Amino acid sequence: MKKIVPALFCALYFCVPAFSQDAKTPLSLDGIVSRLQTLSTTKATEKVYLHFDRTTYNAGDTVFFKAYLTLGEQHQLSKLSGVLHADLVNPNDSLVKYITLQVNNGLAWGDFALPNSLPKGLYHIKAYTKWMLNSTDPNVFDQPIIINSPVSPTRTLSAQQTKIANTYDIQFFPEGGTFVNDIPAKLAFKAIDHNGIGANVKGVVVDNLNTEVTKFEARHLGMGIINITPVEGRTYKARLTYADGTSATVDLPKAEEKGMTLLVNNTSPDKLLIEINANRAYYLANKNKEIGITIYSGGGAVRSVKTALDGQVLDLNLGKKDFQTGIVRVTLFSATGEPMNERLSFIQNDDLINLQTAVNKQSYTSREKVHLTLNAKKDDKPVMGYFSASVVDATKIQVDETAETTILTHLLLTSDLKGFVEQPNYYFNHVTNDTRADLDMLMLTQGYRRFEWKQILANDETTTLTYPVERGLDISGTVKTNNGAPVANGNVTLLTKNGGSMLNQVTDANGRFIFPNLAYTDNTPFVIQAKTAEGKNNTQIIMDMPKEATLFTNNNRLTGSAEAGNGDGKPGPASVYMADASGKLLKEVIVKDKFLDSHSNTITDFTDQSGLGRSLEGHLPGVSLTNGVPYLRDRIGISEAGPMLVIVDGMQGGSVPDLNVSDVESVKMLKNLDAAIYGLQGSNGVLLITTKKNKNLTVNKKLSPGLITYAPKGFYKARTFYSPAYGGTVKQANKPDDRITIYWNPDVATDKDGNATLDFYNADGKGNYRVIIEGIDENGAIGRSVYTYKVE
C-alpha cells in the first residue's frame, strides 16, 4: 500500500557549490539544510550570456553583442564582477582577439571587427569573469559563429576529426541513479556518433537466458527510455542496431540486490509526482527508519521533508506553481544523511517576461522607416527591464530555430548541464507534450551537477582563490633604486597624461604598489612618478605585466600564462594533424618550441620602422616580397616556387599585412623540412607573424629619473552600430544597401509602463526580416521575443 508523505517543507535560498572534500561525519536532514543555508550566504556563482546581432558573418564584418552577467540561482544582475573578458578563438583553437569590457550593473556590450583576411571556418566566442574561473569546472559562455571568407582555412585537422567514422557510443542511466531488483525502472539511454551528435538507434533487451524482455528505440537526438523490471538472478544485454546498419551488443547496468529507487513523473502540467520504492530486501532491513527528501529548484529554493520508511512505496506530490522555471533536483537521503538517489526534472511555468513586439505596418518597402514598439509584462504587470534588439534580413541568414542559443536556453538549461546540448531551443521554441517529454529525457541523461553532495557534506568552506573578484582594472609595479634595491615607504603618484585626478600610493617593504579597481579605456596614457621616502627621485619603476587567464579551448584547462603546458609550468608539445590536398589525414607530427627555435630564422628587432614589409626586405635569407606577397627563392625540390604561407597569430593570410612594426612581436621563417608540419601548404615556406595584441604588452617609456609614461590595455570601448537614415542625399540613394544586420541596439530599456520604441530603416533586400529582442529585469526575470515582418 502506498503511503502519502505530507508536504511539510522548510524553504531556504541557495546559490552556489561548495568546495570538494569527502564527507567526514554523518549529517541529519536538518543539518544538510542548515549547511546549504550557510553556504548560500558565503558563496556566489556568476553566469554570463551574450546576445549577438547574428551568428553567421563574412570576413570584414563586425560581430556585435550584449553581455548579461547574472549572480545566483535567481539570475539577478550581478554587482559582483566589474570586468568581463571576451575571446575570439579560431577553428584551430588559437586566440584571434580578446577584449576586456567594463560591466555596469551586470550589463556590458562590445564587438569584434573581423579582418578581411580572416579564413572561413567555425569560430568560437567565449566570455567569462575571472571569478568564474575559480571553479574546477568553469561555467564559461561559448558560442560558435560561422565566418564565410574567400580565404580558405588551413589544412590542420583537430583530434576530433581523426576519429574513425561509423563508431558509436551508448550510455545507460537508471532513473534516480539506482537499478534495483524487483522494482519497475526507467532506464534512460543516449547514443552518440563519432562527432558526439545524437545517433538514431533501436534494439532489443535480452536476459542471460537469451529471452527477449522488451524492445526500445531512440525518441529524440539519440535519447530514449527502456521500461524494465530487473529480476533477481538475471543479467541483461541490449542488442543495438544503428541507422546505418551498424550493430552492437552491450551490457545493461547490473541490478542491485537490495535498495531504493526514486521516480519522478513530470507529465502533469500542475504537479510533480515523486515516488520512492524500496524492494523487499531493503525494506525489511530498514523498516521504520527515517529517510529524508530535499527538492532544490532552479530558483534557488530548497524544500525538505522527513518521514519513516513504513512501507515499500511512498508518494509525494508537489505543486509546480511553487517553483520558478528551471531545473529541479530531488535527492533522497538515508537516516545517516547519505545521499542515496537523485532525479532531475525541468519545470516550465508561465513566469517569464512576456515581450510583445509590433510594427506600425503589415508590410514595408525597401529603405522604408520602421517604427517598432515593445511592451514587457510579467504576471500582467509592466516590467522595467534591460533589453537588446537585433533585426536581420532573414533571406540572407539561414536560421535553425531549434539549434539557437538564447537567453532562455543558456541561463535556464545548458549552463547547468554537462556536455554539449543539441538543439537547446527545441525545448523552448514551441512547448508541447512531446518537447516536455524529450526535455525530461535530457534531464535523465546529461544530468545537472551544480554541486556534488560530498562537497556539501564535507563542512569545509575554506579554499584558496586563484582569481579574486575583479571590480575594475589594477595598475601595479615595483619601485627600486638605481642599484636594484626595493624602495620601501616610497611615494608613487599616478595621473593621466591629459590631466585629471591624481592618485597616490605608498610602497610596501618590497617596493610594491598597486592602484586597484580603476576604469580606463585601451591605451589611456598615464604618467607615473616614484620617489623615495625622503623625496628623492633616484628610482626606477618596473610595471607589472597583466596576468591574463587563458582558456584552453579543447578541455577548458586554465593557466596564468599564454602558453599551453604540461602541468609543470613548461610549454608542452603541440599536436598538428596534417592533410593532403584531398583532405586525407597524414600522420601526426609533434612540434616543440625548441625545434622551431633552432630550425628557423626569427626577427624580433626591426630596424626599418616605416612598415613590416619594408622592414623584412633583405632581413630574411632567401625571401623576396612582391606586392607584399613573400616568395622563397631557395626552396628545395621544385624549380617554380609559389607564394609562402603567411600565418598571423595563428590565422592564414595571403600576404604580409600592412602592420606597424611596433605592433609586431616577431616574424619567424620556416622552409624546406622545417615547414613540413604545415603539409602541402607549407611546401613553399611559411612566415609566422606574431603580433603584440595577444601579449598584453604596454607602452612604457622613461621620461626622467623616477618618471615614466605608461599606456596599458584597458576597457574596450564598443562601437556604435551604423544605421542609415534615408530620405536625404542623392549620394545615399545611389549607394547599394546590402546589409544583413538591419539594426542592432544593445541598450533598450522599458519605462515604468513596460514600453520602449525603436526606429530604423530597411535595407534593399526583400523578403522576411526577423526581429529578436532579449533581456532581463532587476529581479532576474528573463524574456525573449521573435517577430517577423515582410519587406516587398
Side-chain angles (χ1 to χ4, degrees):
M1 182 176 178
K2 292 185 178 181
K3 175 183 176 182
I4 307 300
V5 180
L8 303 176
F9 300 119
C10 61
L12 56 97
Y13 177 77
F14 174 73
C15 62
V16 72
F19 295 89
S20 207
Q21 194 175 52
D22 291 334
K24 297 174 182 177
T25 56
L27 276 180
S28 66
L29 187 64
D30 291 339
I32 292 168
V33 169
S34 176
R35 184 75 45 83
L36 292 174
Q37 189 172 25
T38 300
L39 289 170
S40 71
T41 62
T42 58
K43 304 292 188 297
T45 55
E46 287 182 318
K47 295 181 184 179
V48 61
Y49 166 73
L50 302 188
H51 176 201
F52 294 89
D53 65 314
R54 61 185 198 265
T55 55
T56 301
Y57 300 88
N58 296 319
D61 287 346
T62 298
V63 179
F64 292 95
F65 63 86
K66 180 174 182 178
Y68 296 89
L69 181 64
T70 66
L71 182 68
E73 300 300 325
Q74 292 183 325
H75 313 303
Q76 291 178 318
L77 289 168
S78 178
K79 295 178 175 62
L80 185 66
S81 294
V83 182
L84 180 71
H85 303 271
D87 297 346
L88 174 64
V89 179
N90 71 11
N92 294 326
D93 296 331
S94 296
L95 184 65
V96 179
K97 290 185 176 182
Y98 74 92
I99 57 176
T100 304
L101 298 174
Q102 185 175 15
V103 180
N104 292 305
N105 192 33
L107 304 172
W109 48 86
D111 57 80
F112 285 107
L114 305 177
N116 289 312
S117 59
L118 203 63
K120 63 183 178 183
L122 183 65
Y123 291 69
H124 287 257
I125 292 180
K126 297 175 180 287
Y128 52 94
T129 65
K130 285 191 177 179
W131 180 254
M132 295 177 186
L133 305 187
N134 290 305
S135 171
T136 55
D137 185 16
N139 191 2
V140 173
F141 177 84
D142 185 347
Q143 174 67 50
I145 64 170
I146 298 171
I147 296 179
N148 299 309
S149 171
V151 181
S152 299
T154 58
R155 286 289 185 176
T156 53
L157 300 179
S158 68
Q160 180 72 21
Q161 293 170 289
T162 66
K163 292 185 177 181
I164 300 173
N166 298 324
T167 59
Y168 299 95
D169 181 60
I170 190 168
Q171 289 182 289
F172 298 91
F173 306 87
E175 183 176 14
T178 53
F179 192 43
V180 182
N181 280 334
D182 303 320
I183 299 179
K186 272 197 241 179
L187 204 59
F189 64 85
K190 178 157 189 176
I192 59 174
D193 63 16
H194 60 283
N195 290 315
I197 303 300
N200 287 328
V201 64
K202 61 183 179 181
V204 59
V205 175
V206 296
D207 62 17
N208 54 320
L209 302 178
N210 205 32
T211 303
E212 181 179 314
V213 178
T214 187
K215 290 183 171 66
F216 62 90
E217 187 171 357
R219 170 189 170 95
H220 178 65
L221 300 176
M223 296 180 290
I225 300 290
I226 300 174
N227 293 296
I228 184 172
T229 303
V231 177
E232 185 177 356
R234 303 282 177 90
T235 58
Y236 302 90
K237 293 179 182 292
R239 293 174 179 167
L240 309 170
T241 303
Y242 292 93
D244 65 355
T246 301
S247 62
T249 300
V250 296
D251 293 329
L252 295 187
K254 189 176 186 305
E256 298 176 16
E257 293 183 5
K258 63 179 181 178
M260 300 180 72
T261 63
L262 175 65
L263 310 179
V264 175
N265 187 328
N266 194 22
T267 57
S268 168
D270 304 318
K271 297 279 188 182
L272 193 69
L273 310 178
I274 301 172
E275 184 178 293
I276 300 166
N277 288 273
N279 72 351
R280 182 169 179 79
Y282 185 89
Y283 172 69
L284 293 176
N286 296 276
K287 186 176 181 180
N288 293 323
K289 289 184 180 179
E290 185 180 86
I291 60 173
I293 305 166
T294 66
I295 302 97
Y296 168 66
S297 79
V302 173
R303 299 154 190 254
S304 64
V305 62
K306 291 183 287 187
T307 188
L309 185 63
D310 55 4
Q312 284 185 245
V313 183
L314 308 177
D315 280 347
L316 177 65
N317 298 336
L318 302 176
K320 289 186 177 180
K321 64 180 177 60
D322 297 326
F323 297 95
Q324 282 185 210
T325 293
I327 294 173
V328 170
R329 174 176 182 168
V330 182
T331 309
L332 176 65
F333 290 89
S334 69
T336 59
E338 177 189 2
M340 301 175 62
N341 303 82
E342 191 162 85
R343 171 66 155 92
L344 312 173
S345 293
F346 195 95
I347 302 293
Q348 287 180 300
N349 281 328
D350 187 19
D351 56 1
L352 304 176
I353 297 176
N354 181 18
L355 296 176
Q356 293 294 328
T357 308
V359 293
N360 57 329
K361 296 178 63 175
Q362 289 186 346
S363 63
Y364 291 86
T365 60
S366 299
R367 304 195 179 193
E368 186 176 358
K369 185 176 182 179
V370 177
H371 180 74
L372 185 145
T373 59
L374 171 67
N375 179 258
K377 287 184 178 179
K378 184 177 184 294
D379 301 326
D380 291 327
K381 295 179 181 178
V383 169
M384 295 178 65
Y386 309 96
F387 301 91
S388 45
S390 170
V391 182
V392 298
D393 184 342
T395 62
K396 297 179 179 177
I397 294 288
Q398 298 297 317
V399 176
D400 180 358
E401 290 189 342
T402 64
E404 285 184 298
T405 296
T406 74
I407 194 169
L408 307 181
T409 67
H410 182 74
L411 293 183
L412 298 178
L413 182 66
T414 58
S415 59
D416 290 327
L417 294 180
K418 293 286 189 182
F420 171 65
V421 178
E422 290 180 70
Q423 301 182 9
N425 201 35
Y426 163 79
Y427 307 107
F428 293 86
N429 195 28
H430 298 291
V431 177
T432 65
N433 289 335
D434 285 341
T435 64
R436 289 192 185 97
D438 294 339
L439 181 54
D440 200 50
M441 287 192 301
L442 181 68
M443 295 296 100
L444 284 167
T445 53
Q446 292 194 225
Y448 169 70
R449 290 297 177 267
R450 175 48 63 98
F451 60 88
E452 301 291 343
W453 280 113
K454 66 179 182 179
Q455 300 169 347
I456 300 300
L457 303 181
N459 196 26
D460 184 358
E461 298 179 31
T462 61
T463 184
T464 301
L465 296 177
T466 304
Y467 299 104
V469 173
E470 280 188 298
R471 308 281 187 186
L473 304 176
D474 298 343
I475 292 179
S476 61
T478 304
V479 180
K480 295 183 179 181
T481 66
N482 292 330
N483 295 325
V487 174
N489 300 315
N491 185 269
V492 182
T493 303
L494 174 74
L495 71 157
T496 60
K497 200 171 181 180
N498 299 326
S501 301
M502 182 182 298
L503 302 177
N504 292 282
Q505 290 287 340
V506 176
T507 59
D508 63 15
N510 298 314
R512 300 278 304 147
F513 67 89
I514 182 170
F515 294 92
N517 300 326
L518 304 178
Y520 53 87
T521 56
D522 275 348
N523 301 315
T524 297
F526 290 96
V527 176
I528 302 177
Q529 184 179 50
K531 294 183 179 182
T532 66
E534 295 77 23
K536 297 181 179 180
N537 62 358
N538 57 334
T539 61
Q540 54 178 324
I541 306 170
I542 300 96
M543 302 304 299
D544 291 339
M545 302 310 296
K547 182 181 179 182
E548 289 294 329
T550 300
L551 294 176
F552 283 80
T553 55
N554 282 332
N555 53 16
N556 275 351
R557 289 189 299 118
L558 302 170
T559 181
S561 72
E563 294 179 299
N566 296 314
D568 56 3
K570 298 178 181 179
S575 297
V576 177
Y577 294 88
M578 298 189 302
D580 62 18
S582 67
K584 182 180 178 181
L585 185 70
L586 305 179
K587 69 176 183 178
E588 176 186 3
V589 180
I590 302 299
V591 184
K592 298 184 179 180
D593 286 351
K594 288 182 179 179
F595 174 88
L596 291 178
D597 289 342
S598 61
H599 291 74
S600 64
N601 293 286
T602 303
I603 299 177
T604 57
D605 185 20
F606 304 93
T607 55
D608 192 322
Q609 299 296 307
S610 60
L612 179 59
R614 188 181 297 273
S615 187
L616 294 180
E617 288 282 5
H619 289 82
L620 288 174
V623 174
S624 62
L625 278 77
T626 304
N627 296 323
V629 178
Y631 291 85
L632 188 62
R633 296 190 303 270
D634 58 351
R635 189 169 62 98
I636 296 175
I638 301 177
S639 57
E640 247 185 76
M644 299 177 71
L645 175 64
V646 178
I647 296 179
V648 182
D649 293 330
M651 304 304 302
Q652 178 182 328
S655 61
V656 174
D658 186 18
L659 295 173
N660 293 324
V661 294
S662 59
D663 295 328
V664 179
E665 177 73 12
S666 66
V667 177
K668 183 180 296 184
M669 179 183 67
L670 303 177
K671 59 183 180 179
N672 302 329
L673 293 178
D674 297 339
I677 60 170
Y678 291 95
L680 290 180
Q681 289 199 1
S683 61
N684 294 313
V686 181
L687 280 187
L688 302 175
I689 301 174
T690 303
T691 68
K692 295 178 180 178
K693 73 177 191 303
N694 292 331
K695 299 295 185 180
N696 257 355
L697 298 183
T698 56
V699 179
N700 184 356
K701 182 178 180 181
K702 185 174 182 180
L703 299 177
S704 62
L707 188 67
I708 66 169
T709 61
Y710 181 65
K713 182 176 177 61
F715 287 124
Y716 178 78
K717 186 176 181 180
R719 307 172 194 211
T720 300
F721 178 83
Y722 171 70
S723 183
Y726 290 114
T729 66
V730 176
K731 183 178 180 181
Q732 264 189 332
N734 293 334
K735 185 177 180 181
D737 186 350
D738 57 356
R739 284 175 295 149
I740 299 176
T741 299
I742 307 302
Y743 180 71
W744 167 253
N745 189 341
D747 190 18
V748 179
T750 50
D751 60 20
K752 61 182 179 60
D753 298 317
N755 295 323
T757 59
L758 307 173
D759 293 287
F760 54 90
Y761 288 84
N762 295 322
D764 289 341
K766 296 181 179 181
N768 289 329
Y769 282 24
R770 190 169 186 248
V771 181
I772 298 178
I773 298 178
E774 297 185 330
I776 193 168
D777 69 7
E778 288 283 1
N779 298 318
I782 57 179
R784 182 175 192 261
S785 170
V786 179
Y787 182 83
T788 301
Y789 68 90
K790 182 169 288 188
V791 176
E792 297 178 333

